[in-house]
Amino acid sequence: MLEDTIKSFGSVPARLLNSHKGSYGKLLILAGSPGMCGAAALCARAAYRSGTGLVRIVTSEENRIPLQLLIPEAVLSLYREQEELEALLEQEFRWADLCVMGPGLSQSEEARALVEEALRQIRIPLIMDADALNIVSEDPQARKYLYRTAPSSPVLLTPHPGELARLTGRELEEILKDPMRVGRVFARRHDLLLIVKGSHSLLFSRGAERYFQNRTASPALSKAGSGDVLCGCIAGIFEILRAEKGSGESSAALLYRAAALGISAHVTAGRLAAERFGQHGVLAGDTADMLGLALEAVNAPPR
C-alpha cells in the first residue's frame, strides 16, 4: 500500500497555503502523433491530478483541437514540419524543469526525428516511455544520445517486459523469468533509473545501487493508457518533491523517490477507481482522476 512506501521514501508534501502554479514546476510532455493524442491527454491529466503546476505538450498541429477539448488546462506547443523541431525544442527545454517523452508518439519518421533531436538537446530530468523506448531500441543515433545524457542528467525509463527485451536485445522469456537480474544489469551499465512494469513493478535507482518492488497490485490497471497515467503521476510527484525547500537531494534521488511513490499511488488510484466502476470497468482516465484522492489519503494538512 501507499502508506508502506511512504515509510521508506517519505510522504508527498502538502501544498503551501501561499503557493501558486509556478511553485509546482513546469512539465514538458513530448507525445501524441496524429490520431494518437489520447495518450498525451492522459499523461497531462495524471500530472495535473498528481500536483504539477504547469503542463505544456509538444505535439503535431493535427492534435490541436482534440487536445484543447480533452485537457484545456494544458498549453500546446505545436509543430507542422520536422524542420521546426530543433528551434522549438530548444525554446521549450529552456522553459521546462522536467520532460516526459513517448506516450502515443508512434514510430513514424516524424516521431523518430523528434526523439533524436530531443535526446541530442536535453539537459533536464527525463522520463521515457512507450514509443520513445521503441525508437531508441532501433535507432543507434538516438541510443547514443540517450546513453551519453543519462550519467549527467537523470533519465528514468519505464518499459514493460516486451519493451525491455527490445532495449536489451534479450529474449522476452529471459526478461519474464528474471526481471530483477536483467533490470539491474541494464540500469547499472547505462547509469540510469529503470522501472520494469508489471503487476509487481520493479524500480532500480541510478546505477542500480538500490531497488524497490511494489508488493501490491490492482488488476483494474490492465487497460490501455495505464502507462501514460503512471508517467504523469511520477512527473507530478517529482514536481511536488522538487518544490520542497532545503531538501538537499539531487534530481536523480528525487526522481527515484517520485517513481517509488508514483508506482504505489498509481496502484492505490486503481483500487479506488475499481471501488467505483468495478475492476472490469475502470478506464485509464478514471485512474488518473483518482490520483489526487490516493495522495490526499496520506498527505499532511495544507501549510
Side-chain angles (χ1 to χ4, degrees), residues 116-132:
E116 191 171 307
E117 182 60 30
L119 289 173
R120 186 183 73 83
Q121 289 193 28
I122 196 163
R123 297 295 182 270
I124 58 175
L126 170 65
I127 302 171
M128 289 185 69
D129 186 42
D131 285 321

Side-chain angles (χ1 to χ4, degrees), residues 3-4 37-38 72 84 98 109-110 115-116 120 180 192 196 217 233 237 261 271:
E3 293 88 344
D4 297 325
C37 64
E84 300 175 26
L98 174 66
E109 286 304 312
E110 186 178 76
V115 170
E116 191 171 307
R120 186 183 73 83
M180 175 71 77
L192 46 74
V196 184
C233 177
I237 294 174
L261 291 165
R271 291 183 170 184

